[in-house]
Amino acid sequence: MSKTDTSQDLREDIEDDEIIGKALRRSLLVFVGVLVSAGAVWFLLSLFAAQEKETHQTQVALPTPRDVTSIEPPHVPLRDVTQHAGIDWTHISGMEGEKLLPETMGGGVAIFDYDQDGDQDILLVGGCSWPWSKSPVANPRSLCLYQNDGQAHFSDVTQQAGLNQSFYAMAPVIGDFDNDGWPDLFVTAVGSNRLFKNNAGKFIDISATSGLRGEHSAWNSGATWFDYDNDGRLDLFVCEYVVWQRELDFSLGFSLTGIGRAYGQPTAFRGTQSHLYHNEGDGVFTDVSKPMGIEVVNADTGVAVGKGLAVAAIDVDHDGWTDLMVANDTVRNFVFLNMLGQRFEEQGIPLGVAFDRSGNATGAMGIDCSYLRNDDCLAIAIGNFANEQSSLYIARGPEPPFNDQAMATGLGPASRLSLTFGMFFADLDLDSRQDLVCSNGHLEAEIATVQATQQYAQPPQFFWNAGTSGSTELVPLDSASVGEEALERMVGRGAAYGDLDGDGDLDIVLVANSGHPRVLINQQQLGHHWLRLRLQGSGTSNRDAYGAVVTLTCGDQQQRRIVSATRSYLSQCETTLTFGLGDQESIDAVTIRWPNGRTQTLTDIPVDQTHTVVQP
């Protein structure tokens, strides 16, 4: 090809580029014109729409603040009688400045009739000095049993009852595992657990042969007796908290600015597996956790998910088989649905109780379940960490799923600042609606230095159930209602209820970490009637009747109660059921669904009395 031809081709290419450029510029001008026109049309249409909307504007109603001034709560004075009652126990945590996490987590209690004389006794549970302690406590009274004389005066019978042992105890769990009529005792621990058989008021340690001791390095927390396969013998579920060792705790280097060494967050410790033990009879138990579906692992890492602190045994789906609800600290909560006694399926997420209303895992501590509204809708309350409101999951109908109604009921805002450990439902004023009691206290003694809104010792909280007809459902009670003594600050952990003085209403025991417990006697004088039922199973039902559901009918109102082993945090309440009747002087009927599924209906039951009902 010649130079002339090349130049000619180059000129033609340049001319073609100019033509294309002109075309592009014309297209761009057209496109801009279309945009301007469209923008003008949009502006005019928006203007007309705004004028039309303004013409038909609707007044928006602002949210109305919750009004509790029109609600008049009852007068339910709770008198602190701890010293007068003869309770002189102190919780020992082993604190010596090392800030080891178990030290700030303990303090449990059980209210039960250990000697079967008809009144409720108190077992207080604490720790001991660490093996490496430089100044060990000589007599830590890890277990301290107080015998009730029936008038809420107590005597320390720990030594003669066979419970004078020293170990780092956490939670007491009461259950007649051998169905001999005497309530036995299981105690979880940081280290090996203990099982004590009650031999007519004398406890015998059978831990070594029971199969329940667990790993020596484990940190066991809450536990519960229940009959998962309905064979008439009580089985046992034991929560394990986190993988913990002293060296590991130190290596993580927890600290607070300006303070130094601090108690560690559970998020820094690895989760672990809880355990399910099947009762084989003769005081022997078999760990069936894995084949029964109790072990939960992260699908991606294979690491155990759970960090269990408390458990409630309850029939969530009303199919006659007892399920398990586990409160996990900083990870999702579990619901183990019992599949006809053959296996369990973890369904916390689909049932709506795994997370809070914002979809977050909470620092879950204590737990209790109740038919809060005297209907078919089960309620599950969980105490959470500071700056996390307590959770109140309520079923949308007779069966799950649940949704968190803590905010709607009034519990959420009032509980947000507190760090809640123990909590339970109890009808304190005997008006037929169950109220809520919360035991509060922080982990860090110096927390106020870094968080102005927090205190180490915190007042307990008492929420009166005002019903659903008013502007709020759960009303915090102040000193005018419960008295100043009841609201004194403490480093609250365990909490339980029972009728300690035999007058029909429910008294309270609160346990303080590294401090003294408090016995609060209910001195309400409202004149409300009541009915108390003590159930005794037989045949293929366990003797404690754990798992039984009792429905009381009075006119067009129904109340429902569940017989269960543990409630709250590291605690067990009395298992006698208390029904407040308000002004009702009689009841129509009581229907009992026993653990083996059989039902029994009772009529013409005198009120203001305690009745023992033996399964036919």
Side-chain angles (χ1 to χ4, degrees):
M1 182 179 291
S2 64
K3 277 187 177 183
T4 305
D5 293 336
T6 302
S7 299
Q8 179 65 30
D9 291 342
L10 183 59
R11 283 194 299 272
E12 289 176 356
D13 289 340
I14 292 172
E15 289 173 357
D16 290 342
D17 288 341
E18 290 176 349
I19 293 170
I20 293 172
K22 290 178 181 179
L24 286 173
R25 286 192 292 273
R26 284 196 297 269
S27 299
L28 184 59
L29 289 172
V30 172
F31 179 71
V32 171
V34 171
L35 280 179
V36 171
S37 300
V41 171
W42 175 83
F43 176 78
L44 292 172
L45 290 175
S46 299
L47 182 62
F48 293 147
Q51 291 175 345
E52 181 71 17
K53 183 181 292 185
E54 185 177 353
T55 304
H56 298 89
Q57 187 174 11
T58 303
Q59 184 68 33
V60 177
L62 296 175
T64 303
R66 191 184 301 273
D67 178 24
V68 297
T69 57
S70 60
I71 298 175
E72 197 166 327
H75 186 53
V76 188
L78 300 171
R79 182 187 170 201
D80 188 341
V81 300
T82 310
Q83 291 185 345
H84 177 72
I87 306 294
D88 61 353
W89 180 81
T90 301
H91 176 265
I92 300 299
S93 66
M95 289 182 181
E96 291 185 358
E98 291 189 340
K99 294 288 185 80
L100 303 175
L101 187 55
E103 296 169 352
T104 193
M105 299 291 287
V109 58
I111 298 179
F112 71 116
D113 184 6
Y114 93 93
D115 53 2
Q116 297 296 279
D117 64 353
D119 48 50
Q120 301 297 320
D121 309 301
I122 299 175
L123 175 69
L124 295 166
V125 177
C128 62
S129 299
W130 295 110
W132 51 83
S133 172
K134 296 178 180 179
S135 54
V137 177
N139 181 24
R141 293 201 288 179
S142 303
L143 304 178
C144 191
L145 180 63
Y146 286 98
Q147 185 182 50
N148 190 351
D149 69 354
Q151 303 295 320
H153 299 121
F154 296 89
S155 301
D156 185 345
V157 294
T158 309
Q159 182 72 37
Q160 51 265 49
L163 294 177
N164 190 23
Q165 294 200 20
S166 175
F167 63 108
Y168 211 100
M170 293 294 290
V173 195
I174 311 301
D176 185 1
F177 70 81
D178 53 3
N179 290 326
D180 67 350
W182 293 89
D184 307 302
L185 169 65
F186 176 78
V187 185
T188 66
V190 179
S192 299
N193 302 313
R194 303 287 200 279
L195 178 64
F196 299 93
K197 173 179 167 53
N198 188 341
N199 185 13
K202 176 81 171 183
F203 289 94
I204 302 171
D205 189 343
I206 61 170
S207 309
T209 59
S210 67
L212 296 178
R213 290 181 68 87
E215 296 293 333
H216 180 69
S217 59
W219 180 352
N220 305 286
S221 48
T224 190
W225 294 105
F226 76 124
D227 184 4
Y228 78 80
D229 53 358
N230 288 347
D231 66 352
R233 294 191 299 264
L234 289 179
D235 310 300
L236 185 67
F237 182 89
V238 181
C239 292
E240 195 169 323
Y241 186 31
V242 293
V243 176
W244 181 85
Q245 292 177 339
R246 180 194 185 200
E247 295 75 14
L248 174 62
D249 204 327
F250 273 125
S251 70
L252 296 174
F254 302 107
S255 63
L256 288 174
T257 303
I259 294 175
R261 173 75 179 168
Y263 289 108
Q265 297 295 319
T267 51
F269 295 92
R270 197 176 69 192
T272 185
Q273 302 289 3
S274 295
H275 299 275
L276 176 64
Y277 296 94
H278 182 259
N279 188 344
E280 306 294 346
D282 298 326
V284 177
F285 295 79
T286 302
D287 190 337
V288 295
S289 309
K290 189 169 185 177
M292 289 299 295
I294 294 301
E295 296 187 353
V296 181
V297 298
N298 185 299
D300 297 324
T301 64
V303 175
V305 174
K307 298 181 180 181
L309 279 178
V311 57
I314 189 169
D315 186 0
V316 171
D317 51 3
H318 300 161
D319 65 350
W321 299 86
T322 304
D323 311 301
L324 295 167
M325 173 75 195
V326 179
N328 283 315
D329 191 3
T330 70
V331 296
R332 61 185 172 92
N333 300 316
F334 295 155
V335 175
F336 291 105
L337 288 183
N338 188 339
M339 313 306 290
L340 306 179
Q342 301 300 310
R343 70 184 190 283
F344 287 86
E345 292 184 359
E346 202 288 294
Q347 296 288 319
I349 293 176
L351 293 186
V353 298
F355 306 106
D356 67 8
R357 59 186 292 118
S358 301
N360 299 316
T362 62
M365 309 292 181
I367 186 171
D368 195 11
C369 304
S370 163
Y371 290 94
L372 181 68
R373 294 169 175 166
N374 290 335
D375 55 14
D376 294 330
C377 301
L378 181 66
I380 302 171
I382 296 179
N384 292 323
F385 201 76
N387 299 315
E388 294 177 341
Q389 65 180 20
S390 292
S391 301
L392 183 60
Y393 303 101
I394 300 180
R396 300 172 187 174
E399 296 183 2
F402 297 81
N403 64 331
D404 191 348
Q405 297 187 28
M407 186 71 72
T409 58
L411 174 64
S415 64
R416 185 175 180 273
L417 288 179
S418 301
L419 200 169
T420 301
F421 277 89
M423 67 183 330
F424 58 77
F425 292 102
D427 187 357
L428 298 180
D429 61 340
L430 301 177
D431 67 347
S432 81
R433 296 185 299 268
Q434 293 191 82
D435 312 303
L436 186 64
V437 177
C438 302
S439 176
N440 306 322
H442 211 280
L443 305 181
E444 286 287 349
E446 301 87 359
I447 190 63
T449 305
V450 293
Q451 292 186 33
T453 60
Q454 289 297 315
Q455 297 290 328
Y456 183 44
Q458 301 178 1
Q461 290 177 295
F462 306 90
F463 292 89
W464 178 57
N465 186 345
T468 58
S469 59
S471 58
T472 189
E473 193 167 353
L474 293 173
V475 181
L477 298 180
D478 58 17
S479 59
S481 296
V482 296
E484 294 183 359
E485 292 180 349
L487 297 176
E488 288 185 3
R489 295 177 179 271
M490 63 186 301
V491 186
R493 296 296 184 261
Y497 67 78
D499 183 7
L500 301 177
D501 54 1
D503 63 355
D505 56 26
L506 296 176
D507 310 302
I508 297 170
V509 178
L510 303 175
V511 180
N513 181 270
S514 298
H516 301 288
R518 294 167 62 190
V519 177
L520 302 177
I521 294 296
N522 189 339
Q523 295 187 324
Q524 61 84 26
Q525 298 292 329
L526 300 170
H528 290 163
H529 298 286
W530 50 273
L531 179 72
R532 284 170 53 82
L533 298 176
R534 185 186 300 115
L535 270 57
Q536 180 180 313
S538 63
T540 55
S541 292
N542 66 87
R543 188 179 178 92
D544 290 312
Y546 288 159
V549 180
V550 180
T551 303
L552 181 146
T553 304
C554 191
D556 58 357
Q557 185 185 68
Q558 286 191 341
Q559 296 183 53
R560 185 174 296 176
R561 299 284 190 275
I562 308 145
V563 184
S564 61
T566 53
R567 287 181 160 86
S568 189
Y569 173 78
L570 307 182
S571 303
Q572 171 146 354
C573 301
E574 67 169 9
T575 55
T576 300
L577 303 178
T578 297
F579 295 86
L581 303 176
D583 296 330
Q584 298 291 332
E585 297 180 354
S586 63
I587 62 171
D588 296 330
V590 168
T591 301
I592 304 170
R593 190 191 76 184
W594 293 95
N596 62 4
R598 296 180 180 178
T599 60
Q600 178 183 4
T601 300
L602 307 173
T603 57
D604 300 324
I605 305 177
V607 302
D608 300 332
Q609 295 182 26
T610 300
H611 301 272
T612 298
V613 182
V614 180
Q615 182 178 4

